[in-house]
């Protein structure tokens, strides 16, 4: 049967709609504001809205751009974009680009929803998505989840429109493949799309257009695997960590219900149930857009709620647009007056600023004027993700804030305040990374594990700032050896990082030592830099220690993840000092004084692949987070 083009779904008809024009104008004003206040000179060091993982995404992108920085094997599309922007000198524009993609997806949502429900309902839900405090916050954090969710839903829109324009099957497959290249969860598009074709569009199985979509999807995934394989010689620890989190579990339902209310508001959560019933009925009547949205939403919720054992509010961004279609269906079924009230509550609930930001699931807006919030406390699961129990939601102690706090907490308010605070501060010192071209790597010497934002953030952020691999080691573990190093002061990379250059005894080349700005470690290194190094008491012993460290690292060659070094407080073997410097992997774990046995207990269950002794030093090849790693023990 020949297809008939539906003029009501054409781009011309879409932009003639006054609701669309309002949304386009709002998007344009929103992006103009972001371009004016959200572009900072250094995206890695200056940008104030990065998530904890954002520096790692930047690091992966800088690695693909050719810089010698930490690489962890993240999904490649966002790092490729970062690499391109870095080469062009426009990396600071990344949050504006991701926000633009989000706004485009809101417009596409409106176009699809307006085909399925009355335009007023479609417009109200699109406005809630556009004004959503948490969603827009996630879109500007330099993370991959929001862009992946946008590409995934754009593929849904293209698939739905392919009933009139079959060539859009190819666009749908391509967009879904790009989404899966941004984060793995969008691979769920394939089973959802296949189910939809078998139930609703079986006639299209005979068309080349449909198969082109699935082939493009598979081809993009193969391209991503090729990119990943090309980096096989680097420390791709991230995929190994993710595979370790795949297990059946059932304890995430309450977390994600509460997080959804935090993401889109309580009115959206209340409308979701009725919308599910309406959408399910239409899906059973073989409506392709409804079945695809429902199958995709169900797959995503099952994946994160039952299979992936790590909870995060940001994972709900994948479900936000399909869930919004269900909400639009519920809104369209309400009587006119009730629908208007519900629409207003929906927009206000999504737009209500929260005391937290972006990925913070602790707060849920209860009432807008004056703003009243429920707050939850979370415990940490064995995987390190937050867990929520019913008693942890403190409904009995609601938090009320003054009305004027709405401006301060709002996303535009936070963006403006951050820019104003930066402009009020004196310029920060900066070092050109080209100064460090001849240095091997950098060791960040922390006093407390929270220094610099913690190990995970510091490793990537510092590596990005110096364009060198950075390692996170406790200063106290080697402080007695610092006087034997030839140390010179280099300067500051912002006020956070005091940079020194060090040369080890009996060793060629130099390394960077970085201390938290204003810390006791910085003062100690500065004092050492002002004098001459102390002669080592046993040069032959130090040379032997260096050779032993080199032998250990040769034995562990192939280790591209972790090197754990467990030493006692009185150990005098110089090889324990050389190991963190000479190791090529930035994933070095060194115990603080008195905590060597604790580190061994932590690794006691790691499978042992091989072991050997080097003098009194016991060295084991172990498997940690699915990857071959090394454990060097100086303890008896």
């Amino acid at each position: 049967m020949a297809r008939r083009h539906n003029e009501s779904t054409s781009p011309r008809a879409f932009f003639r709609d006054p609701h669309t024009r309002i949304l386009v104008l709002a998007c344009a004003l929103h992006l103009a504001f972001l371009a004016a206040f959200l572009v900072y000179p250094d995206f890695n060091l200056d940008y104030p809205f990065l998530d904890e993982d954002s520096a790692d995404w930047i690091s992966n992108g800088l690695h693909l751009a050719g810089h010698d920085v930490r690489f962890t094997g993240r999904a490649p599309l966002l790092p490729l974009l970062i690499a391109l922007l870095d080469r062009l000198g426009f990396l600071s524009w990344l949050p504006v680009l991701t926000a633009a993609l989000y706004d485009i997806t809101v417009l596409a949502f409106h176009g699809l929803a307006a085909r399925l429900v009355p335009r007023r309902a479609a417009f109200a839900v699109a406005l809630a998505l556009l004004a959503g405090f948490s969603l827009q916050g996630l879109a500007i954090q330099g993370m991959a989840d929001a862009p992946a969710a946008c590409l995934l839903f754009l593929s849904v829109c293209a698939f739905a429109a392919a009933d009139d324009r079959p060539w859009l099957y190819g666009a749908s497959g391509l967009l879904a493949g790009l989404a899966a290249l941004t984060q793995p969860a969008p691979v769920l598009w394939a089973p959802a799309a296949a189910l939809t074709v078998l139930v609703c569009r079986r006639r299209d199985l005979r068309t080349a257009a449909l198969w082109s979509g699935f082939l493009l999807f598979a081809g993009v995934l193969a391209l991503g695997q090729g990119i990943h394989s090309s980096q096989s010689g680097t420390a791709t620890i991230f995929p190994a960590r993710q595979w370790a989190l795949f297990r059946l579990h059932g304890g995430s339902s309450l977390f994600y219900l509460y997080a959804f209310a935090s993401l889109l508001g309580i009115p959206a959560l209340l409308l979701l149930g009725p919308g599910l019933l309406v959408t399910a009925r239409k899906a059973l009547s073989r409506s392709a857009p409804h079945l695809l949205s429902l199958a995709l939403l169900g797959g995503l919720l099952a994946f994160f709620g039952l299979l992936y054992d790590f909870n995060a509010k940001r994972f709900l961004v994948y479900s936000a647009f399909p869930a919004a279609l269900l909400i639009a269906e519920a809104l369209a079924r309400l009587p006119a007056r009730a629908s208007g009230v519900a629409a207003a509550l929906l927009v206000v609930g999504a737009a209500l600023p929260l005391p937290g930001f972006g990925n913070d699931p602790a707060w849920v807006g209860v009432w807008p004027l004056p703003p009243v919030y429920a707050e939850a406390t979370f415990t940490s699961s064995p995987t390190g993700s937050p867990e929520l129990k019913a008693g942890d939601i403190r409904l009995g102690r609601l938090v009320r804030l003054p009305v004027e706090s709405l401006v301060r907490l709002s996303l535009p308010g936070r963006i403006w305040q951050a820019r104003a605070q930066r402009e009020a501060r004196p310029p920060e010192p900066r070092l050109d990374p080209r100064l460090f071209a001849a240095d091997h790597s950098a060791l960040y010497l922390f006093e407390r594990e929270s220094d610099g934002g913690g190990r995970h953030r510091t490793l990537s952020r510092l590596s990005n700032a110096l364009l060198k691999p950075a390692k996170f080691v406790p200063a106290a573990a080697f402080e007695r050896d610092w006087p034997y190093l030839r140390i010179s002061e280099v300067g500051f990379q912002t006020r956070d990082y005091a940079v020194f250059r060090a040369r080890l005894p009996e060793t060629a080349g130099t390394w960077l030592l970085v201390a938290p700005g204003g810390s006791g470690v910085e003062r100690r290194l500065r004092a050492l830099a002002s004098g001459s190094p102390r002669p080592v008491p046993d040069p032959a012993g130090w040379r032997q220690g260096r050779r032993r460290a080199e032998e250990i690292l040769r034995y562990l060659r192939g280790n591209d993840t972790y090197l754990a070094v467990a030493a006692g407080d009185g150990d005098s073997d110089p090889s324990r000092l050389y190991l963190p410097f000479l190791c090529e992997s930035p994933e070095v774990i060194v115990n603080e004084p008195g905590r060597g046995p604790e580190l061994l207990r932590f690794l006691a269950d790691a499978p042992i692949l091989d072991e050997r002794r080097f003098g009194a030093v016991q060295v084991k090849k172990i498997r940690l987070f699915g990857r071959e790693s090394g454990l060097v023990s100086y303890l008896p």
Side-chain angles (χ1 to χ4, degrees):
M1 182 175 63
R3 301 175 188 267
R4 180 179 299 173
H5 177 66
N6 187 352
E7 180 60 30
S8 66
T9 66
S10 68
R12 182 178 299 177
F14 175 65
F15 284 103
R16 280 202 303 262
D17 178 17
H19 299 101
T20 302
R21 293 180 180 179
I22 294 173
L23 287 173
V24 169
L25 178 60
C27 290
L29 293 174
H30 170 244
L31 294 176
F33 173 79
L34 295 184
F37 293 100
L38 212 57
V39 178
Y40 284 76
D42 189 319
F43 183 58
N44 175 61
L45 292 173
D46 298 329
Y47 187 69
F49 300 110
L50 294 177
D51 185 82
E52 182 180 352
D53 282 345
S54 300
D56 193 45
W57 286 101
I58 299 170
S59 178
N60 279 254
L62 293 179
H63 174 86
L64 295 179
H67 299 294
D68 184 19
V69 297
R70 184 173 183 251
F71 181 75
T72 56
R74 296 274 186 174
L77 189 61
L78 181 60
L80 285 170
L81 175 61
I82 290 171
L84 176 63
L85 293 175
D86 175 69
R87 290 290 185 90
L88 297 175
F90 288 102
L91 182 55
S92 295
W93 283 81
L94 179 65
V96 180
L97 295 179
T98 54
L101 177 61
Y102 180 84
D103 289 359
I104 289 170
T105 309
V106 170
L107 293 172
F109 167 86
H110 179 252
L112 175 58
R115 295 177 55 192
L116 306 176
V117 299
R119 292 186 183 275
R120 288 186 179 181
F123 174 72
V125 180
L127 191 60
L129 292 170
L130 182 62
F133 171 79
S134 293
L135 287 169
Q136 286 285 5
L138 287 168
I140 64 170
Q141 283 192 300
M143 297 278 285
D145 296 286
C150 291
L151 292 168
L152 178 61
F153 190 75
L154 288 174
S155 76
V156 171
C157 295
F159 191 96
D163 194 36
D164 295 325
R165 303 174 184 85
W167 63 270
L168 286 174
Y169 279 126
S172 179
L174 177 61
L175 288 165
L178 293 175
L181 232 60
T182 311
Q183 280 284 54
V187 298
L188 295 170
W189 171 88
L195 176 65
T196 304
V197 170
L198 291 175
V199 173
C200 305
R201 295 181 180 174
R202 190 170 298 180
R203 70 179 186 276
D204 290 343
L205 288 170
R206 297 188 296 271
T207 65
L210 173 68
W211 291 106
S212 70
F214 285 102
L215 288 174
L216 279 170
F217 175 77
V220 173
L221 291 186
L223 175 63
Q225 184 58 43
I227 295 172
H228 187 273
S229 298
S230 70
Q231 307 298 319
S232 59
T234 56
T236 54
I237 65 169
F238 188 77
R241 286 177 174 173
Q242 302 316 298
W243 283 114
L245 294 172
F246 279 87
R247 61 175 67 89
L248 282 172
H249 69 283
S252 299
S253 300
L254 182 61
F255 174 90
Y256 282 116
L257 282 173
Y258 186 87
F260 187 88
S262 177
L263 184 77
L264 272 175
I266 293 177
L269 182 62
L270 295 176
L271 288 168
L272 193 59
L276 175 63
L277 297 177
V278 175
T279 304
R281 188 171 66 249
K282 291 189 174 182
L284 290 174
S285 66
R286 299 188 178 184
S287 169
H290 292 90
L291 180 57
L292 178 59
S293 300
L294 196 59
L296 186 58
L297 179 62
L300 289 166
L301 294 179
F303 174 75
F304 288 114
L306 300 175
L307 293 177
Y308 189 69
D309 196 8
F310 194 95
N311 302 328
K313 176 181 172 180
R314 60 187 169 87
F315 294 153
L316 286 175
V317 72
Y318 297 100
S319 305
F321 287 102
L325 286 176
L326 276 61
I327 293 169
E329 290 286 356
L331 199 61
R333 295 303 177 274
L334 293 175
R337 184 171 299 178
S339 177
V341 173
L345 292 175
L346 175 68
V347 175
V348 171
L352 182 64
L354 303 178
F357 186 78
N359 196 33
D360 182 2
W363 299 92
V364 169
V366 176
W367 189 255
L369 290 174
V372 177
Y373 303 95
E375 183 185 9
T377 56
F378 298 92
T379 55
S380 182
S381 73
T383 62
S385 75
E387 284 188 339
L388 181 65
K389 298 178 175 61
D392 297 330
I393 304 173
R394 295 185 284 180
L395 292 175
R397 289 192 296 159
L398 298 176
V399 178
R400 176 177 171 177
L401 298 179
V403 175
E404 55 268 23
S405 66
L406 289 175
V407 175
R408 175 177 55 84
L409 293 175
S410 70
L411 195 57
R414 293 184 194 220
I415 291 172
W416 184 86
Q417 290 174 66
R419 176 52 66 101
Q421 290 170 4
R422 171 178 168 75
E423 292 178 351
R425 293 195 302 263
E428 289 193 306
R430 293 297 164 90
L431 295 169
D432 188 338
R434 288 176 294 184
L435 293 171
F436 316 126
D439 299 302
H440 290 299
S441 60
L443 273 69
Y444 181 80
L445 310 176
F446 67 87
E447 289 183 301
R448 300 168 300 276
E449 291 190 10
S450 60
D451 283 347
R455 181 180 189 275
H456 178 64
R457 179 174 184 268
T458 301
L459 279 174
S460 295
R461 185 171 185 257
L462 180 59
S463 178
N464 299 342
L466 303 177
L467 295 183
K468 285 288 172 187
K471 304 157 190 177
F472 193 76
V473 299
F478 301 109
E479 192 166 7
R480 69 182 183 184
D481 298 314
W482 299 144
Y484 301 118
L485 276 59
R486 183 177 299 278
I487 298 174
S488 59
E489 190 172 352
V490 179
F492 280 84
Q493 189 69 297
T494 74
R495 298 180 185 87
D496 295 337
Y497 304 123
V499 183
F500 299 81
R501 182 170 281 113
R503 187 181 297 275
L504 277 66
E506 310 298 325
T507 307
T510 56
W511 285 260
L512 299 175
L513 300 179
V514 184
S519 66
V521 179
E522 179 206 334
R523 292 189 291 272
R524 172 76 166 145
L525 291 176
R526 182 173 287 112
L528 292 171
S530 63
S532 299
R534 185 186 305 171
V536 294
D538 181 12
W542 280 74
R543 284 194 294 273
Q544 183 180 7
R546 186 203 69 212
R547 287 195 294 268
R548 178 172 294 150
E550 292 171 343
E551 290 172 1
I552 291 171
L553 293 173
R554 279 196 296 270
Y555 167 67
L556 294 174
R557 183 163 292 171
N559 157 46
D560 59 357
T561 51
Y562 295 95
L563 173 68
V565 181
D569 297 348
D571 190 87
S572 59
D573 189 333
S575 65
R576 65 178 177 79
L577 170 67
Y578 285 107
L579 279 171
F581 286 90
L582 299 179
C583 178
E584 294 183 2
S585 171
E587 304 295 339
V588 175
I589 303 173
V590 178
N591 63 273
E592 297 180 66
R595 299 181 67 178
E598 180 182 337
L599 177 59
L600 290 181
R601 286 193 298 271
F602 173 74
L603 298 173
D605 295 331
I608 299 174
L609 306 177
D610 191 25
E611 58 184 303
R612 186 182 298 180
R613 297 195 73 87
F614 294 81
V617 185
Q618 185 182 47
V619 183
K620 297 179 180 180
K621 292 182 179 180
I622 62 174
R623 189 166 297 279
L624 189 60
F625 297 118
R627 299 303 296 269
E628 186 175 314
S629 301
L631 170 60
V632 182
S633 176
Y634 293 84
L635 299 174

